[in-house]
Structures are given as C-alpha cells and as structure tokens.
C-alpha cells in the first residue's frame, strides 16, 4: 500500500504551498518548494518551482571579449582526494574546483570516516582531508551511480586498509565504462577479488609489487593502480599507461607524500613500494577541458578572448586543430588568446588518448564544426556512445549524420535557439557553446550535468559578454538585439 505523506505547516497560517516554509512530512522537516518568478530575455515572465531551476537560458549573438579564468582540474582533483586515503596524515589540496563531483567525493570520503575540512573566503578552493580513522572502506552504489570516478578509492583502500567494497558502476550516458582493468591489475598486485550483489570486494593483507600491462589505455585505471602500488611490497612496473597531465599531477602529489614513482607521463610507470606515506600540500593543475571549452567558445563567437590561468601545453592537439580551422591562437606560459575575424574552415578530428585530441573536447568541437565552411568528420574512438549532443544540435539547425562512431557535420548552417536537453557533462558544454551563436533564446534543461564539472560557467561566460542566466535569477531588461555573430 502506498503511504501518502502527512503534511503539516510549521510557523505559518498561509497554507501548505507557502514558498520556503518548513513543513513536516512523515515527521521530517523539509522546505516547501520555492516558486520563483523568472524574467526571460524577451521580458515575459515564468514561474518555476525551485526543483525545476536547473535550466540555463542563453541568448545568442554576443562575441566573447575579455579574460576568463580557468578553475582547477576536476579530473586531477578527484584522484588527488582519493590519494588522501593512503595516509593517516592530513593532505591539503589547493585549487580544488567548486563543482558537484568534488562534493560527491567529499561525501564519499566522509562516509568512510574521513575528516574533511573546507577552506572558506579566499581559501574556498582549499580542502584538507585526514583519513586517520577510516572505519568503512566502502563506496556505496548511491554514490558510485552518480559519479563513476568513485571507483578511484578501490586501490587506495585495499593498499591502506587491506580491504575494499566498491559498487560496480554499470553503464552510463557515454558508454559501458567497465572497471575490469582496475580489477585485473589489483589481482596482479596480489588482491583477492570477489563480486557479489553488484559490488566488488577486494582483500589483501599487504599488496605485493608486480608487472601490469594494460590491454587498453585507461586514465582512472592507471591512477587507481599507481596509488595501490605505492604501498605494495617491492616494485611495480605498469605498461601501456595513460599519459594524461592528470596522471602526472597525481604522481607529483604521491611523491610529495613519500611515494617512489618514476615515468608518470610516459607509457611505462615504475613504482617502488614504501611502507608508509605521509601528509602533503599540493596545488591541483588547471582544468584543460574547461580551458578548451572556453577557447572554442571564443573562436566560435568571433570574439577576442583570453583564457587565463591555464596550461596551453595540455591542449596542444586542440589548439593545432583550431589553427587548421583558421582561428588565430596566441599563447603565453599560462594563457591562450583566441581571435577570429573570418569564417571557420571545416577540419576532421579523431579522438585519441593523450596527447591526441581529447574525447572530452569532442562534443564542443562538434558545435564549432556546425559553423565551419565545408564537411567535418568527427570520429569517437574512446567511448562507444558519445554523440548524444548531435541530435540536440540538429534540433538547433545543424546538419549532422551519425554513422556508428563517426559523425559527419555539414556546415555552415545557421543555428536557432530551442529547448534542448543536456545528457552528460561535455554534451552540455557543447550545447551552451552552440547556444552562444544561435539566433534567439535557447533553454537548456538538466544543467546539473554541467554543474558536475564546470564551476559557475554561467557567471564566467557572462563576465566576457555572454547573455546566459540560470533560471531563477532575475534577468536584466532585454538588451538591443545583436546579430548571431559567427565569423
Ligand atoms: N575501459 C575498459 N576497462 C576498464 C577501464 C576502461 O574497457 O577497466 C575502457 C572504457 O570503457 C573506455 C576506455 O577504456 O572505452 C577509456 O576509459 P578510461 O578508463 O580512460 O576513462 P575513465 O578513466 O573512466 C577518464 C575521465 C573521463 C575521460 C576519460 C577519457 C576522470 C575522472 N574521468 O575516465 O572524463 O573522458 O578518462 O579521457 O578522469 C569527463 O570529465 O567528462 C569525463 C568523462
């Protein structure tokens, strides 16, 4: 029998739908849904409940001009936080991005008994973690299903606590995403693995060094096993490793903690196991995918955008491709300036492991290709199903045909604003970019996907001239209409 929750208002005579008041549902206090008045770009009004506020409204046509600052790399911060499990001492991480996946990882560590202290004020991007008293070496399904990188705790937990219980992630919007290579590697290091009720259980009194040769290059697999091997008995040699900058950043942190790792950034990594690791302080590298997303947005809108606080060498393949498309790219040690005064030219891309063209930039590049003259082919080699954005771009006016793992984009077709759905993090970024050059207003639904990995993207883009609002904010009066400016 379905129970209907009893509602009872607290502290108000205004009736059960009064916005923001606490109400009791089956004895638990919770807040009534707040209904918010939203003013759209055309001046009309909309009222939406708070729980439907995860939408962006974008009015296209403004070139991006000015300087935009890149946050710390989510995909470097996540393994760095998992590395704190390896020691009883505090690990201090700076330049941690304020994004949803980081909150999920903090929750995961806290659920195991870790103490997590957040910086505040000017130090708001600093997190101190202390895993002295870990009591529950488990990553529950509820967390793993919302963030697959939770599996990064598997190796560190077995290495430090001798056991781990981690939910299997299952499939997701971009493909199957198995963790068989993490498991095979742990077995090579002497762990006993069992699988039951959707969970992997790994146990080893002490891991021992071994030779691991990955059948396929895996980023988090390389990171997971590198962490595990730091506390193993003897030497581990890992071959066919991922060479991403995030792998190097993790090795730098682990070495600061007392690990003995050489070769990170090449395909062979050697780890001499040590008996104990200590605390460390480390600054996370800038987010190369966020930087690349802004670079494409700048190029596409025909603006003059400086992407600051980034490392241009981390996205060399993307910058080269943009030059092939006719974009002017100038770099310093920590910034990229893109200007584009003429039409974009079509060019093909094929995603590869680092240092090839990143799969995490494929969707954003596709948005650019819709506005390039000629036919571009986008081939996705890393994930089996990473074209969810293509159909949404088609709804905005793009001409894209997907055939297996290849998409053919015929440009340039004008884009027009539409209601579109975000399906995953990078697909969402692609739709935001397309909306910036679409004629009229685009409403993006399910922007919680973008909040997983981009820190306040709407504020950053607004700072360089974009018209973008999160629904729920009161929008300024409609500004003079500007042409959809694609150079
Ligand atoms: N694979 C296996 N078995 C494994 C592991 C991976 O078959 O045990 C396969 C995958 O199915 C995929 C390929 O190997 O086909 C590469 O997957 P990889 O393991 O490298 O991906 P990941 O480590 O799960 C990281 C990033 C992703 C990024 C990929 C590829 C983090 C937290 N995530 O994922 O980032 O797309 O590498 O570069 O580092 C994102 O930020 O939007 C994102 C998805």
């Amino acid at each position: 029998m379905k129970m209907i929750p009893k509602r009872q208002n607290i502290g108000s005579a205004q009736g059960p739908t009064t916005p923001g008041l606490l109400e009791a549902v089956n004895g638990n206090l919770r807040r009534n849904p707040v209904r918010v008045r939203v003013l759209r770009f055309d001046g009309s009004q909309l009222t939406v409940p708070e729980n439907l506020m995860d939408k962006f409204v974008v009015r296209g046509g403004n070139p991006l001009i000015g300087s935009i600052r890149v946050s710390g790399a989510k995909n470097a911060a996540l393994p760095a936080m998992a590395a704190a499990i390896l020691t009883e001492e505090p690990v201090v991480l700076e330049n941690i991005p304020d994004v949803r996946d980081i909150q999920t990882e903090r929750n995961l560590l806290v659920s195991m008994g870790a103490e997590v202290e957040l910086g505040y004020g000017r130090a708001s991007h600093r997190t101190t973690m202390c895993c002295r008293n870990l009591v529950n070496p488990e990553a529950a399904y509820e967390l793993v299903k919302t963030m697959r990188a939770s599996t990064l705790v598997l190796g560190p937990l077995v290495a430090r606590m001798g056991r781990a219980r981690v939910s299997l992630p299952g499939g997701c919007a971009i493909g199957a995403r198995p963790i068989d290579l993490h498991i095979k590697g742990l077995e090579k290091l002497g762990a006993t693995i069992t699988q039951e009720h959707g969970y992997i259980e790994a146990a080893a009194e002490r891991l021992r060094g071994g030779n691991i040769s990955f059948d396929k290059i895996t980023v988090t697999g390389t990171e997971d096993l590198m962490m595990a091997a730091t506390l193993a008995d003897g030497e581990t040699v890992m071959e066919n490793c991922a060479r991403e900058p995030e792998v190097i950043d993790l090795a730098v942190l682990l070495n600061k903690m007392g690990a003995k790792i050489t070769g990170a950034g090449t395909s062979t990594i050697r780890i001499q196991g040590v008996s104990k690791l200590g605390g460390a302080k480390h600054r996370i590298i800038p987010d190369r995918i966020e930087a690349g997303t802004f670079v494409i947005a700048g190029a596409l809108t025909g603006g003059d955008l400086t992407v600051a606080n980034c490392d241009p060498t981390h996205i060399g393949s993307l910058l080269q491709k943009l030059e092939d498309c006719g974009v002017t790219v100038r770099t310093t040690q920590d910034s990229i300036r893109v200007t584009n005064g003429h039409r974009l030219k079509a060019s093909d891309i094929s995603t590869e492991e680092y240092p090839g063209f990143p799969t995490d930039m494929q969707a954003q590049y596709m948005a650019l290709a819709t506005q390039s003259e000629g036919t571009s082919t986008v081939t996705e080699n890393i994930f089996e199903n990473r074209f969810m954005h293509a159909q949404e771009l088609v709804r905005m006016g793009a001409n894209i045909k997907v055939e297996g793992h290849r998409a053919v984009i015929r440009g340039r077709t004008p884009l027009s604003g539409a209601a579109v759905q975000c399906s995953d993090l990078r697909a969402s970024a692609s739709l935001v970019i397309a909306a910036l050059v679409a004629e009229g207003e685009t409403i993006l639904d399910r922007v919680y996907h973008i909040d997983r990995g981009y820190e306040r993207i709407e504020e950053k883009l607004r700072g360089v001239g974009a018209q973008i609002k999160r629904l729920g904010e009161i929008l300024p009066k409609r500004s003079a209409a500007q042409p959809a400016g694609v150079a």
Side-chain angles (χ1 to χ4, degrees), residues 11-260:
S12 165
Q14 290 182 308
T17 56
T18 304
L21 286 179
L22 289 178
E23 65 175 9
V25 178
N26 283 348
N28 296 319
L29 283 184
R30 75 170 197 198
R31 206 166 277 280
N32 265 341
V34 179
R35 298 193 78 82
V36 198
R37 187 172 59 85
V38 178
L39 198 60
R40 297 171 64 180
F41 283 108
D42 64 3
S44 64
Q45 288 187 12
L46 203 66
T47 307
V48 290
E50 192 178 45
N51 61 354
L52 288 183
M53 278 171 55
D54 50 354
K55 293 188 199 307
F56 283 159
V57 191
V58 184
R59 174 171 286 271
N62 286 8
L64 301 187
I65 295 171
S67 177
I68 194 164
R69 199 176 158 79
V70 171
S71 299
K74 162 184 87 79
N75 289 350
L78 292 172
M81 291 170 78
I85 292 172
L86 292 163
T87 175
E88 294 186 350
E89 293 177 17
V91 172
V92 183
L93 297 175
E94 294 178 340
N95 206 27
I96 290 274
D98 186 6
V99 297
R100 183 76 59 89
D101 274 8
I102 296 296
Q103 288 163 17
T104 306
E105 176 117 354
R106 284 190 189 120
N107 292 343
L108 175 60
L109 291 172
V110 167
S111 76
M112 294 174 189
E115 294 160 51
V116 178
E117 185 192 305
L118 306 182
Y120 54 88
R122 290 182 65 187
S124 62
H125 292 88
R126 190 178 63 207
T127 294
T128 304
M129 283 152 303
C130 187
C131 295
R132 191 178 303 117
N133 303 313
L134 286 188
V135 286
N136 179 30
E138 172 167 321
Y141 176 63
E142 284 63 36
L143 286 168
V144 178
K145 75 176 180 197
T146 62
M147 191 186 69
R148 328 179 57 71
S150 309
T151 52
L152 277 165
V153 300
L154 181 61
L157 281 175
V158 195
R160 161 90 189 282
M161 298 188 73
R163 64 197 171 95
R165 186 167 185 268
V166 174
S167 170
L168 278 167
C172 82
I174 62 175
R177 311 198 67 185
I179 56 164
D180 57 309
L181 301 174
H182 302 229
I183 293 165
K184 260 167 99 173
L186 276 178
E187 280 176 335
K188 284 270 167 69
L189 299 182
T192 310
I193 311 276
T194 49
Q195 184 187 329
E196 226 174 31
H197 308 300
Y199 280 75
I200 289 291
E201 295 198 25
E205 216 155 274
R206 173 118 199 243
L207 293 171
R208 51 169 199 273
N211 291 336
I212 298 169
S213 180
F214 291 103
D215 299 335
K216 194 171 181 180
I217 296 177
T218 158
V219 177
T220 50
T222 301
E223 293 164 346
D224 199 9
L225 294 166
M226 186 164 75
M227 289 189 276
T230 57
L231 290 180
D233 221 353
E235 190 185 51
T236 298
V237 180
M238 304 200 304
E239 313 245 30
N240 201 25
C241 295
R243 293 180 284 159
E244 269 67 2
E246 293 77 14
V247 174
I248 302 177
D249 199 43
L250 176 63
V252 170
L253 166 65
L254 291 168
N255 283 343
K256 283 183 189 169
M257 292 166 67
K260 293 192 172 144

Side-chain angles (χ1 to χ4, degrees), residues 29 48 85 132 156 262 345 360 376 433 448 452 482:
L29 283 184
V48 290
I85 292 172
R132 191 178 303 117
T262 54
K345 290 182 288 205
D360 290 344
S376 312
I433 290 172
Y448 55 81
R452 287 187 58 181
Q482 305 211 21

